[in-house]
Amino acid sequence: QVQLVESGGGLVQPGGSLRLSCTASGSIFSITNMGWYRQAPGKQREYVARITTGGSTDYADSVKGRFTISRDNPKKTLYLQMNSLKPEDTAVYYCNRVSPLWGWGQGTQVTVSS
């Protein structure tokens, strides 16, 4: 079972930036399409972005042009650079395989507030 550990969240003002990281245990990270997801209070978890093993990316419309997903395969680490943050980006952010999902990590809290 792959273990996922997210980090990098925090409190940031609107318009600010954060970079999230996700490290994965095991040896199959480099051959796995990976994604970021988020869950806001009182809402269902939703898709944010994904990156294939070849580096192709896709984003939810709500974050397109503001967020950038990337990966470092030797470090088994997934990143999410978040710029121009908005209050509606406030959520717990999770990483996971695109499909089928692994077990969820603990996530990292992102709060956008003045």
Side-chain angles (χ1 to χ4, degrees), residues 48-114:
V48 174
R50 67 174 179 260
I51 184 167
T52 69
T53 56
S56 297
T57 59
D58 180 75
Y59 299 91
D61 288 344
S62 58
V63 306
K64 199 169 295 184
R66 299 188 297 121
F67 290 10
T68 303
I69 188 172
S70 61
R71 64 192 299 161
D72 185 331
N73 287 334
K75 293 183 178 180
K76 295 187 286 186
T77 300
L78 184 72
Y79 301 102
L80 186 68
Q81 177 66 44
M82 306 187 296
N83 298 328
S84 302
L85 282 161
K86 304 176 181 180
E88 51 264 43
D89 295 319
T90 295
V92 179
Y93 284 71
Y94 303 86
C95 65
N96 209 318
R97 182 166 59 175
V98 172
S99 181
L101 295 170
W102 290 319
W104 295 99
Q106 85 288 349
T108 186
Q109 175 71 49
V110 172
T111 302
V112 185
S113 175
S114 55

Side-chain angles (χ1 to χ4, degrees), residues 16-61:
S17 298
L18 283 173
R19 189 175 84 151
L20 307 183
S21 299
C22 164
T23 57
S25 65
S27 59
I28 65 171
F29 177 85
S30 64
I31 59 172
T32 301
N33 296 332
M34 294 293 297
W36 284 99
Y37 307 81
R38 67 185 181 185
Q39 187 167 20
K43 296 187 177 181
Q44 290 189 331
R45 188 150 27 204
E46 65 177 4
Y47 162 77
V48 174
R50 67 174 179 260
I51 184 167
T52 69
T53 56
S56 297
T57 59
D58 180 75
Y59 299 91
D61 288 344

